[in-house]
Amino acid sequence: QVQLVESGGGLVQPGGSLRLSCAASGSIFSPNTMGWYRQAPGKQRELVADITSSGSTNYAESVKGRVTISRDNAKNTVYLQMNSLKPENTAVYYCNLKVIALNFWGQGTQVAVSS
């Protein structure tokens, strides 16, 4: 019923920026929370940031000041602006939607930070 499609990943040099997008389609109920998670090689999937349908944001401590999450409810789209990227930020970034105790995930988009 719900599909999440990420885009915007790619290769970027250290210190560079990327803007990820995730478009949701299907039966999307409110209230809900959309967010971004990442999984680096050999590590557990971890929260980067999320945002409720009312606009409340939550960031991992490690990314505060370097990332900004936003959403367009009319477009059912969530964005993640990432600045000052570091090699350790290399990971697959996944879009997530939480609604009515259910979790939906996108396929992931690769972010590689390397010189």
Side-chain angles (χ1 to χ4, degrees):
Q1 185 82 60
V2 175
Q3 185 176 20
L4 304 173
V5 180
E6 302 100 330
S7 62
L11 176 65
V12 64
Q13 294 187 358
S17 299
L18 283 175
R19 182 177 174 85
L20 306 182
S21 299
C22 172
S25 61
S27 183
I28 304 169
F29 296 91
S30 295
N32 63 68
T33 300
M34 297 186 73
W36 290 93
Y37 292 71
R38 66 188 177 195
Q39 187 166 21
K43 296 185 178 180
Q44 298 290 324
R45 187 175 299 184
E46 64 178 359
L47 172 73
V48 178
D50 60 27
I51 182 169
T52 69
S53 47
S54 62
S56 297
T57 58
N58 179 47
Y59 295 92
E61 288 294 328
S62 62
V63 305
K64 287 183 177 179
R66 299 191 299 110
V67 310
T68 302
I69 190 168
S70 61
R71 64 187 290 168
D72 185 334
N73 290 337
K75 297 180 179 179
N76 294 131
T77 300
V78 63
Y79 307 93
L80 188 72
Q81 177 69 45
M82 301 189 291
N83 302 319
S84 301
L85 285 164
K86 306 173 182 178
E88 53 262 44
N89 300 143
T90 295
V92 177
Y93 284 69
Y94 296 92
C95 181
N96 170 262
L97 171 67
K98 292 188 282 287
V99 58
I100 319 178
L102 298 176
N103 273 280
F104 301 92
W105 296 91
Q107 81 286 353
T109 184
Q110 178 71 238
V111 172
V113 186
S114 176
S115 59

